[in-house]
Amino acid sequence: MFPIHSKGINEEQTYQQKPGKQQCREFNFRAFRWMQAMIFFIEEVNRNKALLPNITLGYSLYDSCALEPQAVKATLSMLTEPAHEREEGCRDVPSVPVVIGNSGSSLTIAVSRALQPFRVPLVSYFASCACLSNKHNFPNVFRTIPSDVYQVRALAHLIHRLGWTWVGIIGSDDDYGYLGTQMFIEEVTKLGSCIAYRLVIPKVLSEKKTLEIVKKIKESTARAIVVFSIEAEIYSLIEEIAHQNITDRQWVASEAWVTSTLISDNKNFHFLRGTIGFALRKAEMPQLKDFLFKLSPLEKNVNQFVREFWETQFKCSFNETGTSEFNTSATTRRYYDQTCTGRENLEKSKSIYGDVSNLRVTYNIHKAVYAVAYALHKLQACEHGKGPFINRTCGDIYNLQSWQVAHYLKEINYTNEFGDQVYLDRNGEPVGTYDIINWQGNSDASIKFVTVGLFDASLPQDQQLLFHEEEIIWSGGKREVPRSACTESCPVGYRKAARVGQPVCCYDCVPCADGTFSNSTDQAECAPCPADFWSSGNRTGCVVKDTEYLSYSEGFGTALATVAVSGAAMTTAAAAIFLRHRDTPIVRANNSELSFLLLFSLMCCFLCALTFVGQPTEWTCCLRRTSFGLSFALCLSCLLSKTVVVLMAFKAALPGNKVTKWFGPLQQRLSVFACAAIQIALCSVWLTVSPPFPVRNTWLYKDRIILECNLGSVALFCCVLGYIGCLACFCFVLAFLARKLPGNFNEAKLITFSMLIFCAVWISFIPAYVSSPGKYTVAVEIFAILSSSFGVLFCIFIPKCYIIIFLPERNSKKFLMSQTRSVK
């Protein structure tokens, strides 16, 4: 059964379908070639003496007209047609043993249901609907074409390989279109692509509906369009596409139209060039071409469609009226003014009928005919007692039962002359093996079908799809794979951010956050950089984080180190002045030994600031804190002792007071070293229990690493710092109490001012230290050390040095005695 007449088109004339009316009048040259090919294959079997010896196969031809009602009508006519002898000597055949057909899934479904009560097997050569694999619903259907399951898988993997994430789908209004598009959607979405739209080509395609479909195609950003339809259904749509000059779409064809000579006409060259799709495997049959061109309408017993073909091909008419008695499609013949002779040269005429360059569906018909022949051969060769039926009986080939033929069709499994394995069993339907076809252009602006790859479902999944991308011509004649996406590709350094309420393939491109990167396009998420790395400026990679610490090489570090050295130098100068004038009254007052010890501690305070500059190491971290703690403890111990000396000296000046003997030079030395010893003990415990150590601070800043010293034991550090604070407070209180003593002994004023500066600096140090980030924390600490040290140096020693150098007359015993008498 073949669609000799279609609902509307051939390669010479198109149609405008009227809404609500189904037409069946256009002669289908391609289907007529299929029918002639089946005749050729049957005659080939009959000539084969090894296959079905003494048996000649016969056939009856029926036109389905590509319409389900007509296909069912033809089926019922075939089943009820009285048997008659075709040739002399042939036996009557009481029933139809097998039907070869149909050309489409919907037609095959309709015919199979009509045949099912009669248990007549149906071998389809072009019905690929996956629904036909359900043997519960279609127990009598066999086919030589793979199920759409394989084609859908192939198409989905092709879309995925080409990077098309935004795809439009068009399907015909039948089982083939609906089920094909539905399976494709399920398969392609698993691979990460999205569907931009899904359109249906109705059976009755009006101009309004055509324009609606084309408008949707034009408005969509999807450049790749997958079409599940037969050529007759899509032809009018392609005409409108050409009419509106839509050239920037990449068409992906199903096997039903990927090798359509009709659609690939020269006038569609600019619109369909680059079309790609999967086609059935083809075979070379040179003898078939000779058979096709030997056709003559003048021969006896020629089939009922030959003359109509001849009239349509040569635009002439035989001297006949009415409708052919054999034309079961009941179509109206077209008449031409020119009369046919029947001797016109068929080889020189141009039509799809003579095109045997892509025998794909024809090859499936070859498989169908030979599958039936091999089934009948096995039935003929069956030996009684070894048969497959009840009591191991065999069927009688001269009294054929359709269900017996169906049984042997299930067991068909052979390798044909083209090297392909043929089997029809339910659990072994033909495996999906397809050629990847690309529509490329010839020099004459015609389209040629070029095989650019292969899909073989029998291979491991990662090897099933193979194509040569460099050989493919894409839409517009370009060599570059077109892009079909909802949004432009996100460049490196960006990630995809889904749009609310839209498919996952529609997204915005958002720059990677700090500390992350993306080094490929369309990344869903930015990858985090390793711990010691940070994202580059363009977020395309990671670079090693900058390490930061207060170094001597930078201006700030150099300035602080210079100030610290300057302070130590000034302290040394003051010590030199005091040493040179050690016998003068101003130096000898208040115990010169304490002054020199105080100057030594101040020099240590200035120099300990240098340990805070530079890259932290294990020994510098320990040295920083301990040198700071010991230097300031010694300095404050000296100041405290000096303050006590001032108080004791005043008390000694009172009549009858002998307190100075209890706080002489020895006691002063012991008190200084006792106070310092406590700090030494605290530092020793600190260094023993949990000393400071260098760390790489990666949590303060994300883009850089701060090299700093961890305090180790915070509690012991607080003890060291707290002890210094206690000494400073005690010293300040005593100095404040002694600030109004007579001028000769009033060093307490200077100590009070120095302690005011000291306390103010370290009280303000705490919030500044906490709020300063990174290396500036160390700078604040150095500033506090230097400020407090300069405060002591300037308040206590600079005034005395000024008097020694610039006012020597005041540095005399006579001047001091005069000041004493004036006070009294």
Side-chain angles (χ1 to χ4, degrees):
M1 189 176 297
F2 301 91
I4 303 302
H5 294 84
S6 66
K7 295 182 296 180
I9 62 171
N10 58 31
E11 75 283 7
E12 298 170 345
Q13 181 178 353
T14 62
Y15 74 106
Q16 291 296 327
Q17 184 89 314
K18 294 182 179 179
K21 182 180 180 181
Q22 290 184 321
Q23 300 181 5
C24 184
R25 57 196 179 99
E26 300 299 338
F27 196 86
N28 191 327
F29 284 72
R30 191 183 184 199
F32 182 71
R33 186 188 67 211
W34 295 344
M35 185 189 70
Q36 290 297 113
M38 188 192 76
I39 296 172
F40 171 73
F41 299 142
I42 292 175
E43 292 181 357
E44 197 175 54
V45 169
N46 290 334
R47 290 193 299 268
N48 189 339
K49 302 300 181 182
L51 189 60
L52 289 174
N54 302 319
I55 298 293
T56 300
L57 295 181
Y59 57 86
S60 291
L61 303 175
Y62 291 87
D63 180 13
S64 67
C65 200
L67 294 172
E68 295 176 28
Q70 180 60 37
V72 173
K73 178 181 177 182
T75 301
L76 296 177
S77 175
M78 173 178 54
L79 294 174
T80 58
E81 183 181 55
H84 59 273
E85 296 182 359
R86 301 299 182 186
E87 294 184 9
E88 186 178 352
C90 289
R91 300 194 181 191
D92 289 343
V93 180
S95 63
V96 178
V98 64
V99 174
I100 294 180
N102 236 300
S103 61
S105 298
S106 295
L107 296 178
T108 301
I109 291 172
V111 171
S112 69
R113 286 172 176 164
L115 292 173
Q116 191 167 334
F118 304 94
R119 303 177 68 182
V120 176
L122 175 65
V123 182
S124 176
Y125 53 87
F126 207 23
S128 57
C129 179
C131 59
L132 294 171
S133 298
N134 187 335
K135 291 302 176 180
H136 177 74
N137 295 332
F138 305 99
N140 62 323
V141 176
F142 302 89
R143 49 185 170 178
T144 56
I145 184 174
S147 166
D148 278 337
V149 170
Y150 299 106
Q151 181 185 195
V152 163
R153 186 188 307 165
L155 285 169
H157 280 80
L158 178 67
I159 296 296
H160 178 67
R161 281 276 294 274
L162 295 174
W164 295 337
T165 58
W166 193 235
V167 183
I169 300 181
I170 301 176
S172 54
D173 189 13
D174 53 24
D175 295 286
Y176 175 73
Y178 276 116
L179 295 176
T181 54
Q182 184 60 40
M183 288 191 299
F184 175 77
I185 291 173
E186 294 174 359
E187 191 71 25
V188 81
T189 50
K190 291 178 184 177
L191 299 176
S193 295
C194 301
I195 306 304
Y197 56 82
R198 180 181 182 180
L199 304 175
V200 177
I201 304 175
K203 289 294 184 181
V204 180
L205 184 58
S206 63
E207 182 178 356
K208 179 181 177 181
K209 185 62 178 179
T210 302
L211 293 176
E212 289 177 359
I213 294 176
V214 175
K215 181 181 178 182
K216 182 65 177 180
I217 293 173
K218 289 177 63 177
E219 292 177 348
S220 175
T221 57
R223 292 294 177 264
I225 305 174
V226 181
V227 181
F228 282 87
S229 175
I230 60 175
E231 59 183 359
E233 304 285 352
I234 196 179
Y235 189 84
S236 293
L237 180 62
I238 294 298
E239 276 194 321
E240 187 61 31
I241 293 289
H243 176 71
Q244 297 194 25
N245 196 28
I246 302 175
T247 59
D248 60 344
R249 296 299 187 271
Q250 176 63 51
W251 296 91
V252 182
S254 65
E255 39 75 29
W257 68 278
V258 72
T259 56
S260 171
T261 309
L262 174 61
I263 295 179
S264 60
D265 191 73
N266 292 25
K267 61 185 179 182
N268 296 327
F269 175 79
H270 296 291
F271 313 102
L272 296 179
R273 181 173 50 165
T275 296
I276 193 170
F278 292 90
L280 304 171
R281 299 302 302 276
K282 68 177 182 179
E284 299 296 331
M285 303 177 185
Q287 294 180 349
L288 175 61
K289 184 174 183 179
D290 297 335
F291 175 81
L292 294 176
F293 286 131
K294 288 180 181 178
L295 182 67
S296 172
L298 303 178
E299 291 183 2
K300 183 183 178 182
N301 296 329
V302 71
N303 71 69
Q304 62 267 35
F305 303 109
V306 173
R307 290 198 172 189
E308 187 177 358
F309 159 73
W310 204 270
E311 290 176 337
T312 309
Q313 175 67 24
F314 295 105
K315 296 182 176 59
C316 61
S317 298
F318 289 100
N319 294 324
E320 298 177 354
T321 58
T323 303
S324 171
E325 60 177 315
F326 301 106
N327 193 343
T328 57
S329 65
T331 57
T332 304
R333 298 271 290 276
R334 183 180 292 110
Y335 294 96
Y336 301 90
D337 294 334
Q338 184 179 349
T339 303
C340 297
T341 64
R343 294 182 177 85
E344 288 80 5
N345 193 328
L346 188 58
E347 292 188 37
K348 292 183 179 180
S349 63
K350 183 181 179 181
S351 71
I352 301 175
Y353 172 77
D355 183 7
V356 293
S357 59
N358 280 281
L359 298 179
R360 301 180 186 277
V361 180
T362 304
Y363 183 34
N364 278 348
I365 296 173
H366 176 279
K367 293 178 182 178
V369 171
Y370 272 85
V372 172
Y374 275 100
L376 294 174
H377 183 81
K378 291 186 70 174
L379 188 149
Q380 181 188 27
C382 177
E383 298 181 11
H384 288 286
K386 299 181 180 179
F389 307 123
I390 299 175
N391 299 324
R392 305 188 67 83
T393 58
C394 297
D396 183 3
I397 196 168
Y398 298 109
N399 186 22
L400 281 177
Q401 300 295 319
S402 299
W403 62 270
Q404 295 175 342
V405 179
H407 172 84
Y408 282 104
L409 283 172
K410 294 179 182 179
E411 297 182 352
I412 291 298
N413 192 336
Y414 71 97
T415 302
N416 64 16
E417 58 188 289
F418 301 103
D420 291 333
Q421 192 173 18
V422 180
Y423 43 88
L424 308 177
D425 181 65
R426 171 193 175 187
N427 298 321
E429 285 187 329
V431 174
T433 305
Y434 302 92
D435 290 330
I436 304 177
I437 301 299
N438 182 219
W439 291 18
Q440 301 183 8
N442 290 312
S443 57
D444 60 349
S446 62
I447 293 177
K448 62 179 178 180
F449 304 130
V450 179
T451 302
V452 294
L454 173 71
F455 178 84
D456 190 347
S458 64
L459 298 176
Q461 187 168 350
D462 58 342
Q463 303 174 20
Q464 291 178 355
L465 183 62
L466 174 66
F467 62 93
H468 308 286
E469 190 174 313
E470 66 280 359
E471 298 179 5
I472 301 176
I473 299 293
W474 302 101
S475 61
K478 299 178 181 178
R479 286 285 184 179
E480 183 181 356
V481 179
R483 178 172 173 76
S484 184
C486 182
T487 53
E488 288 299 318
S489 178
C490 288
V492 293
Y494 288 77
R495 65 174 179 86
K496 298 190 294 186
R499 295 175 182 171
V500 178
Q502 295 191 27
V504 294
C505 301
C506 299
Y507 49 82
D508 295 315
C509 296
V510 179
C512 289
D514 292 340
T516 62
F517 72 98
S518 68
N519 54 8
S520 61
T521 58
D522 284 338
Q523 280 196 204
E525 295 293 339
C526 298
C529 291
D532 290 346
F533 290 81
W534 190 249
S535 52
S536 57
N538 54 7
R539 306 292 194 272
T540 59
C542 294
V543 295
V544 178
K545 287 183 180 179
D546 292 334
T547 54
E548 187 178 274
Y549 59 90
L550 189 63
S551 66
Y552 290 102
S553 60
E554 61 180 300
F556 199 40
T558 302
L560 290 174
T562 301
V563 172
V565 172
S566 300
M570 293 175 65
T571 305
T572 303
I577 293 172
F578 266 52
L579 183 63
R580 182 176 177 80
H581 300 85
R582 60 184 178 275
D583 295 328
T584 60
I586 201 168
V587 175
R588 296 179 64 186
N590 304 108
N591 196 334
S592 60
E593 289 185 5
L594 286 179
S595 297
F596 283 109
L597 190 58
L598 178 58
L599 286 169
F600 172 75
S601 65
L602 280 177
M603 184 179 295
C604 292
C605 289
F606 282 116
L607 293 177
C608 81
L610 297 176
T611 63
F612 288 83
V613 183
Q615 182 174 346
T617 60
E618 289 188 7
W619 71 270
T620 56
C621 284
C622 294
L623 185 61
R624 283 181 184 182
R625 306 299 178 187
T626 53
S627 62
F628 160 73
L630 293 174
S631 298
F632 273 84
L634 181 60
C635 175
L636 293 172
S637 298
C638 293
L639 288 174
L640 181 62
S641 183
K642 273 180 158 295
T643 306
V644 173
V645 168
V646 172
L647 288 173
M648 294 301 104
F650 177 77
K651 294 292 184 181
L654 297 177
N657 198 321
K658 301 179 180 180
V659 70
T660 54
K661 70 176 183 179
W662 300 109
F663 204 74
L666 179 61
Q667 286 80 7
Q668 294 172 25
R669 297 187 198 105
L670 290 175
S671 64
V672 169
F673 288 109
C675 292
I678 296 174
Q679 188 74 302
I680 293 173
L682 288 174
C683 290
S684 299
V685 174
W686 186 13
L687 293 177
T688 303
V689 175
S690 180
F693 57 90
V695 293
R696 297 167 60 86
N697 188 333
T698 58
W699 57 89
L700 182 60
Y701 296 107
K702 294 181 178 180
D703 60 339
R704 57 187 183 272
I705 300 173
I706 306 298
L707 301 182
E708 60 184 15
C709 291
N710 187 284
L711 295 175
S713 175
V714 177
L716 289 172
F717 170 71
C718 291
C719 291
V720 170
L721 199 62
Y723 182 68
I724 293 174
C726 289
L727 289 176
C729 292
F730 192 46
C731 183
F732 173 74
V733 171
L734 292 179
F736 182 79
L737 295 174
R739 72 188 186 284
K740 293 184 179 180
L741 295 178
N744 284 340
F745 306 98
N746 203 2
E747 196 177 29
K749 287 184 179 180
L750 303 178
I751 296 174
T752 301
F753 285 125
S754 66
M755 287 298 97
L756 278 174
I757 295 173
F758 187 94
C759 294
V761 167
W762 286 100
I763 290 173
S764 61
F765 160 78
I766 295 173
Y769 180 85
V770 172
S771 60
S772 298
K775 62 183 179 182
Y776 299 105
T777 304
V778 179
V780 168
E781 199 165 358
I782 295 175
F783 181 79
I785 292 172
L786 296 178
S787 299
S788 55
S789 299
F790 274 114
V792 174
L793 179 65
F794 286 168
C795 289
I796 297 178
F797 292 102
I798 295 302
K800 294 180 179 180
C801 290
Y802 179 80
I803 292 173
I804 291 172
I805 297 174
F806 297 104
L807 301 172
E809 66 275 8
R810 294 187 179 186
N811 190 15
S812 63
K813 186 175 181 182
K814 180 179 178 181
F815 179 79
L816 292 176
M817 294 302 294
S818 66
Q819 291 294 315
T820 302
R821 285 195 295 270
S822 65
V823 171
K824 293 180 179 179

